Amino acid sequence: MALNSSLCIENDALLSLLHSGRKERPSTDLYRSLIAVNELAARMTAASNLDDLRRCLRSAYEKWMPEESVCLFLAKEGRVSCEQLSEGDALLCRGSCTLNHRLVERCFRSGSPLLIADTLKSLDVMPLLEMEAHQSCARSLMMFPLHAADRALGSLIIASSHPNQFTPLDYHLGLLVATHLSSALLNTLARQRLAATNAKLRAEEKKLTELNQRLRELALTDDLTGLFNRRQLMTQLESEIARVQRYGGELSCLMIDIDEFKQVNDSRGHHAGDQVLRQLAGLLRQSSRAADFVARYGGDEFTVLLAETGSRGAECAAEKLRRRVLDCRFAAGLEGTIALSVSIGFAAYVDLDRLKAEELLVRADRALYKAKRAGGNIVAKAEPYSDVGSRICQMTGLGLTHLAVND
């Protein structure tokens, strides 16, 4: 790295120092200093984040130079953060600043280290110093740019309130620390970016998982009421029938229809009708057991599968539900509440039936329409299972409503 001859010590000065035999800096002191620098380099390399890196530097310089001020400038997004690593009576900057300190900017931009013996006597340096440097009594300065992979990362600055405080050995050891620090800083920043990217990916993955879960829920549920939809009803019913056929047990199906629901839509509007459907869906959920399966079959029709429930239990559950609807008042638009009633048809699965899922729904649906034709607000039981009705359903492929009206 090229150095400014008027501001920096030439590299040959270190060799002269090693052979000079100066009493204040013997070779044993150099040996110990190099060991200390190598130990610091190892700790910086192992640092997992910037805080660890700062702690390593602070610990080292508080031990090496307790009377000097050591500052670490780090560049980020056009600004430079400054942190004091070692307390002293000379300090250039605190907190965060833009790159407007001309001396710091010169070191940062040029990538050239500086050793200033006396800031008050250096004609090359004084124009670059601001009043803050003089007010803080920074008489001696060492400034080491932190560059790695053609990237300016910051600067390491050491200041003393005494002139001629730093020796050539201090300067070259500082260069060595700055070299290791640059590499460690580059690796730490890369790890931080990787960690941030991984965190962002995890957040996106979580968001995608939640979105997929929501899509699955939308595929299985009714948008208006939040109950399961008809498709999921058929899947659940087939699973329940297969379970009963294999392991035994009971299963019943309720088909529920709101009496005179068309009048609600005609007199109060479809928004009021939607309100009623949502409220009835909530009532069905509250009235059902955890093992029951509640679905919106379509329009104003709802279906409840009663697990481990026979014909008598289904009739009791249906009658309890019918009475509960009568006891409720349903909000219907801006005109206040209304009273409603429901008709319910139910069918129970028995071992002799060997029904398919659609056939059990057909029987419950036919019972429902029997209740509707009887005037509504009643519970009707499905007729005994008939093989003829099953064969007609299979041959014609008619829907549930067509078969129901032909009872």
Side-chain angles (χ1 to χ4, degrees):
M1 183 180 297
L3 306 180
N4 188 316
S5 59
S6 64
L7 300 177
C8 304
I9 302 297
E10 298 295 338
N11 292 331
D12 292 341
L14 180 60
L15 297 177
S16 300
L17 178 63
L18 295 177
H19 298 290
S20 64
R22 291 171 56 181
K23 295 181 180 180
E24 67 271 21
R25 188 74 72 174
S27 59
T28 54
D29 193 17
L30 173 62
Y31 175 73
R32 292 172 181 172
S33 298
L34 291 176
I35 291 178
V37 170
N38 286 333
E39 291 176 351
L40 174 61
R43 292 196 300 271
M44 289 192 300
T45 301
S48 58
N49 52 54
L50 285 177
D51 288 337
D52 289 344
L53 202 57
R54 294 187 185 100
R55 280 192 290 269
C56 291
L57 287 168
R58 185 179 295 110
S59 176
Y61 277 106
E62 284 178 349
K63 180 179 179 181
W64 296 347
M65 297 180 170
E67 297 181 359
E68 280 70 47
S69 296
V70 182
C71 297
L72 178 63
F73 289 79
L74 294 179
K76 183 180 181 181
E77 299 177 355
R79 298 186 66 82
V80 177
S81 64
C82 176
E83 181 174 350
Q84 186 172 1
L85 301 177
S86 179
E87 297 291 339
D89 54 7
L91 183 62
L92 285 176
C93 185
R94 290 183 181 273
S96 179
C97 64
T98 56
L99 283 175
N100 57 6
H101 192 303
R102 287 177 291 175
L103 186 60
V104 175
E105 183 177 2
R106 175 171 176 170
C107 176
F108 182 83
R109 301 291 188 191
S110 68
S112 299
L114 303 175
L115 173 58
I116 305 172
D118 191 344
T119 59
L120 299 182
K121 296 181 179 179
S122 176
L123 298 179
D124 293 332
V125 171
M126 287 186 67
L128 299 178
L129 287 172
E130 296 177 349
M131 287 303 296
E132 182 183 358
H134 297 294
Q135 292 171 357
S136 63
C137 302
R139 295 291 299 275
S140 301
L141 284 174
M142 292 193 297
M143 310 182 74
F144 305 102
L146 305 175
H147 279 217
D150 297 327
R151 178 182 172 187
L153 304 175
S155 300
L156 180 66
I157 301 179
I158 304 174
S160 173
S161 60
H162 304 287
N164 303 307
Q165 181 67 14
F166 303 120
T167 67
L169 179 58
D170 295 326
Y171 171 78
H172 284 277
L173 289 175
L175 277 178
L176 188 58
V177 170
T179 300
H180 290 299
L181 176 58
S182 297
S183 299
L185 188 59
L186 184 66
N187 292 335
T188 300
L189 294 175
R191 283 194 293 268
Q192 281 193 336
R193 287 194 301 271
L194 180 60
T197 301
N198 289 336
K200 184 178 180 180
L201 289 176
R202 286 193 295 270
E204 292 296 330
E205 183 180 6
K206 181 180 178 182
K207 186 184 300 183
L208 183 60
T209 300
E210 293 174 349
L211 179 60
N212 287 334
Q213 178 63 27
R214 178 58 180 158
L215 289 176
R216 285 193 293 268
E217 292 174 356
L218 291 175
L220 302 178
T221 58
D222 172 62
D223 289 341
L224 178 63
T225 63
L227 298 179
F228 289 108
N229 58 22
R230 182 171 177 173
R231 177 185 300 175
Q232 185 61 16
L233 168 65
M234 299 305 297
T235 300
Q236 182 70 17
L237 183 54
E238 289 174 355
S239 175
E240 288 292 331
I241 289 180
R243 179 186 60 80
V244 173
Q245 289 177 346
R246 182 169 184 178
Y247 300 107
E250 296 178 309
L251 174 67
S252 294
C253 175
L254 307 183
M255 293 291 288
I256 305 158
D257 184 83
I258 302 176
D259 297 327
E260 305 298 336
F261 181 69
K262 185 175 183 300
Q263 293 183 6
V264 177
N265 284 329
D266 291 344
S267 62
R268 303 208 176 194
H270 288 279
H271 176 71
D274 290 344
Q275 279 186 291
V276 169
L277 292 175
R278 283 192 290 265
Q279 292 170 80
L280 180 58
L283 188 147
L284 291 176
R285 274 193 295 259
Q286 296 171 7
S287 304
S288 301
R289 304 168 302 176
D292 296 338
F293 186 90
V294 185
R296 184 186 181 192
Y297 189 78
D300 61 329
E301 288 191 16
F302 298 85
T303 305
V304 180
L305 300 181
L306 303 173
E308 297 300 334
T309 304
S311 180
R312 180 170 296 182
E315 185 173 9
C316 291
E319 181 62 25
K320 181 179 178 180
L321 178 61
R322 184 190 68 82
R323 292 180 179 276
R324 186 167 183 181
V325 172
L326 281 178
D327 293 338
C328 288
R329 300 289 297 184
F330 293 82
L334 300 177
E335 299 179 15
T337 62
I338 59 174
L340 293 175
S341 65
V342 293
S343 298
I344 304 176
F346 70 93
Y349 175 88
V350 294
D351 290 340
L352 296 178
D353 288 346
R354 294 293 176 184
L355 292 177
K356 294 183 179 179
E358 187 172 328
E359 293 168 342
L360 183 60
L361 286 175
V362 166
R363 296 181 63 204
D365 195 58
R366 294 178 70 180
L368 169 63
Y369 276 83
K370 183 169 63 176
K372 300 285 285 185
R373 286 195 300 271
N377 191 26
I378 62 172
V379 173
K381 180 180 179 180
E383 298 296 332
Y385 175 68
S386 171
D387 288 333
V388 175
S390 176
R391 286 196 296 272
I392 291 175
C393 179
Q394 293 174 357
M395 289 187 295
T396 61
L398 296 177
L400 301 182
T401 302
H402 294 81
L403 287 175
V405 298
N406 292 322
D407 185 29

